[in-house]
Amino acid sequence: VEVILVIPCSEYPMQMLPASCTSCCEGFGDAEKARPYTSLKETEPAEDKSRSCLKKCLRICLCMGCCVGVTAVVLYFVAMAVIGDTSSLYEVGAPLPTETCIDQDSSLLCSVKSYLGECSNPETPCKLACSLCKPYDAGVFYPKAVPLDDIEEHMAFAKDGSSIPEGLHGIWWMDQGGFTLPLLDDPSYKFDFNMTAETLISFGDQETVFQQDTNCVTPVPFYSGKKGHLAFMNNKFGLLQWSNFVETRMAIHFCFTNDSQTEIHLWQSVKDVGGMTGATKKLLGYSDAGPGYLYTPKWLIHMTMIKKPWGWDRVTTAMTENIRKIMSKDNIEWLKQTLPETDLNIMLEDAQTTLNREYHYPVVQIVDGNGTRTKFFAAYKKYLKKTKPLTPGTQLVAMRA
């Protein structure tokens, strides 16, 4: 009988399975290639074969448990060294997940299902567990080309009297190219941003609500809208960015951080694509954003909006100050391997330059809450015409069928 004195933990502990265990531990490794670290042949009293194999298999399982435990501890201390304590980053001010079921059953059918006990929350009339409706993110999405000249007719914007705070009424141009500069009201404004294909945003679609308890305007899906609240360039860059948002189901949640509603913290939620355990997600600062979704950690990317006389200053910082001081190429590579496949990995690719930058771009109103065009509308039209749209005089609005 072969007695294992030492079974070392390694990356593939199952490959050390002794040949005598082959018959009762099939599927746990290549028994023929097993090499115990230290072994001793000696004669022992005959023992029931199944009991002997069970003991050896238990030893292997115990070894695996040690490896997993050690790996978890190492991951924890590495993460703490690289990232710092993330436990309090997203504990306060998070928007509450909203009911996203919009293709509803009849109220009678929902009532019957509630009576039969098929609803996890009988007080919710359209809980996914008790209706045949599709959640918002399971719909059909498409980009719609709309004319620049009557954009007010093709985007749902918050109007005067809306429950959405006044600071987000109307239609807003995300001027990521700095075409409104210099700003007459703020000539010293420091612009610094890498332009994307996003153009306009508004907050009047039916899926977006204002939560008084959290002070959040939420959710604002960046991949679609029932009438439309996100616009992109009508070219290959706009199509690519829109399709990326559809793939990740990215949404932004605009949460005011003061009573005067002059500062906004932007929470980014993305679909949980798997690949990380719950403990790893918590360790890295990810938090629950509703079934199947995660909020991006604040230490990784922090987005805010600061009210200005001319509109909003959109500010983005990549990594916390502590991260910037200790981040190395090795640590960046470790994070890239650990994080899920999202656009955040792209930021890490360029982390050596992004770490020392604080991004700013102006967000200006082109249509107010009364539907009146502002002084920035002409500059917006002139800019869009320079983007070489596939159909002249148009841009894309993200839609849900």
Side-chain angles (χ1 to χ4, degrees), residues 195-271:
M195 187 173 66
T196 74
E198 303 164 342
T199 56
L200 301 178
I201 186 170
S202 60
F203 303 88
D205 242 332
Q206 67 180 69
E207 60 271 17
T208 301
V209 298
F210 176 60
Q211 296 177 347
Q212 292 188 348
D213 291 343
T214 62
N215 223 16
C216 295
V217 176
T218 179
V220 183
F222 267 49
Y223 55 93
S224 70
K226 285 297 290 182
K227 182 175 181 180
H229 56 262
L230 242 296
F232 303 84
M233 300 176 187
N234 186 8
N235 55 28
K236 63 180 181 180
F237 303 108
L239 288 169
L240 177 61
Q241 187 164 8
W242 169 77
S243 63
N244 286 338
F245 288 160
V246 171
E247 183 178 357
T248 61
R249 298 297 197 270
M250 191 191 85
I252 300 294
H253 313 261
F254 296 74
C255 297
F256 292 94
T257 58
N258 57 14
D259 293 336
S260 59
Q261 297 185 334
T262 57
E263 296 181 6
I264 302 176
H265 175 198
L266 278 62
W267 296 64
Q268 182 188 59
S269 63
V270 293
K271 199 168 184 64

Side-chain angles (χ1 to χ4, degrees), residues 365-383:
Q365 191 182 55
I366 64 167
V367 176
D368 66 19
N370 290 317
T372 303
R373 296 178 179 182
T374 72
K375 63 182 180 180
F376 293 110
F377 193 91
Y380 142 77
K381 277 185 61 178
K382 183 177 179 180
Y383 153 68

Side-chain angles (χ1 to χ4, degrees), residues 99-120:
E99 176 60 70
T100 57
C101 176
I102 63 173
D103 303 322
Q104 301 185 16
D105 284 338
S106 67
S107 58
L108 175 61
L109 184 56
C110 277
S111 299
V112 171
K113 290 184 177 181
S114 297
Y115 178 77
L116 295 176
E118 296 183 18
C119 294
S120 56

Side-chain angles (χ1 to χ4, degrees), residues 323-339:
I323 297 294
R324 299 181 190 189
K325 293 178 180 178
I326 64 176
M327 185 62 71
S328 66
K329 290 183 179 179
D330 290 340
N331 289 336
I332 290 174
E333 190 61 34
W334 176 79
L335 285 171
K336 285 166 57 180
Q337 297 297 324
T338 306
L339 296 172

Side-chain angles (χ1 to χ4, degrees), residues 1 3 5 16 20 76-77 96 125 137 164 170 175 190 209 242 257 259 265-266 274 303 307 311 319 355 373 388:
V1 176
V3 179
L5 301 181
M16 295 178 290
S20 57
Y76 173 79
F77 283 106
L96 300 173
D137 63 358
I164 302 296
D175 182 17
K190 295 181 179 180
V209 298
W242 169 77
T257 58
D259 293 336
H265 175 198
L266 278 62
M303 300 180 290
K307 194 73 175 73
M319 314 292 184
L355 289 181
R373 296 178 179 182
K388 298 180 180 180

Side-chain angles (χ1 to χ4, degrees), residues 50-363:
S50 62
R51 182 178 299 177
S52 175
C53 288
L54 179 60
K55 287 181 179 179
K56 293 177 181 179
C57 290
L58 288 175
R59 288 172 182 162
I60 297 296
C61 293
L62 179 61
C63 180
M64 285 189 65
C66 291
C67 289
V68 172
V70 170
T71 300
V73 172
V74 171
L75 177 62
Y76 173 79
F77 283 106
V78 171
M80 288 295 288
V82 175
I83 301 171
D85 184 12
T86 62
S87 60
S88 62
L89 289 180
Y90 268 2
E91 297 297 326
V92 179
L96 300 173
T98 56
E99 176 60 70
T100 57
C101 176
I102 63 173
D103 303 322
Q104 301 185 16
D105 284 338
S106 67
S107 58
L108 175 61
L109 184 56
C110 277
S111 299
V112 171
K113 290 184 177 181
S114 297
Y115 178 77
L116 295 176
E118 296 183 18
C119 294
S120 56
N121 181 4
E123 295 180 359
T124 302
C126 193
K127 200 72 175 175
L128 299 185
C130 67
S131 70
L132 299 176
C133 64
K134 290 182 180 179
Y136 182 88
D137 63 358
V140 176
F141 313 112
Y142 64 97
K144 178 182 178 182
V146 302
L148 304 178
D149 285 326
D150 56 351
I151 190 63
E152 307 95 315
E153 304 300 322
H154 298 279
M155 292 187 70
F157 59 93
K159 301 178 180 180
D160 290 350
S162 166
S163 62
I164 302 296
E166 184 178 358
L168 297 178
H169 286 187
I171 301 176
W172 297 83
W173 175 20
M174 296 175 283
D175 182 17
Q176 298 174 350
F179 290 93
T180 55
L181 302 179
L183 292 162
L184 296 179
D185 298 326
D186 193 358
S188 62
Y189 178 73
K190 295 181 179 180
F191 169 85
D192 183 6
F193 202 78
N194 298 330
M195 187 173 66
T196 74
E198 303 164 342
T199 56
L200 301 178
I201 186 170
S202 60
F203 303 88
D205 242 332
Q206 67 180 69
E207 60 271 17
T208 301
V209 298
F210 176 60
Q211 296 177 347
Q212 292 188 348
D213 291 343
T214 62
N215 223 16
C216 295
V217 176
T218 179
V220 183
F222 267 49
Y223 55 93
S224 70
K226 285 297 290 182
K227 182 175 181 180
H229 56 262
L230 242 296
F232 303 84
M233 300 176 187
N234 186 8
N235 55 28
K236 63 180 181 180
F237 303 108
L239 288 169
L240 177 61
Q241 187 164 8
W242 169 77
S243 63
N244 286 338
F245 288 160
V246 171
E247 183 178 357
T248 61
R249 298 297 197 270
M250 191 191 85
I252 300 294
H253 313 261
F254 296 74
C255 297
F256 292 94
T257 58
N258 57 14
D259 293 336
S260 59
Q261 297 185 334
T262 57
E263 296 181 6
I264 302 176
H265 175 198
L266 278 62
W267 296 64
Q268 182 188 59
S269 63
V270 293
K271 199 168 184 64
D272 183 2
V273 295
M276 292 193 297
T277 65
T280 302
K281 293 172 187 174
K282 186 174 182 179
L283 176 64
L284 292 174
Y286 283 88
S287 56
D288 180 34
Y293 283 84
L294 297 171
Y295 286 122
T296 303
K298 180 180 177 181
W299 66 264
L300 184 59
I301 181 171
H302 187 207
M303 300 180 290
T304 59
M305 290 171 61
I306 309 298
K307 194 73 175 73
K308 299 291 183 179
W310 41 261
W312 294 92
D313 177 19
R314 253 289 278 113
V315 185
T316 301
T317 54
M319 314 292 184
T320 62
E321 183 177 355
N322 182 50
I323 297 294
R324 299 181 190 189
K325 293 178 180 178
I326 64 176
M327 185 62 71
S328 66
K329 290 183 179 179
D330 290 340
N331 289 336
I332 290 174
E333 190 61 34
W334 176 79
L335 285 171
K336 285 166 57 180
Q337 297 297 324
T338 306
L339 296 172
E341 291 293 332
T342 68
D343 57 338
L344 297 176
N345 291 72
I346 300 175
M347 178 178 290
L348 290 172
E349 292 283 355
D350 193 34
Q352 293 300 325
T353 57
T354 60
L355 289 181
N356 296 319
R357 293 174 64 182
E358 184 176 79
Y359 297 88
H360 292 259
Y361 70 83
V363 179

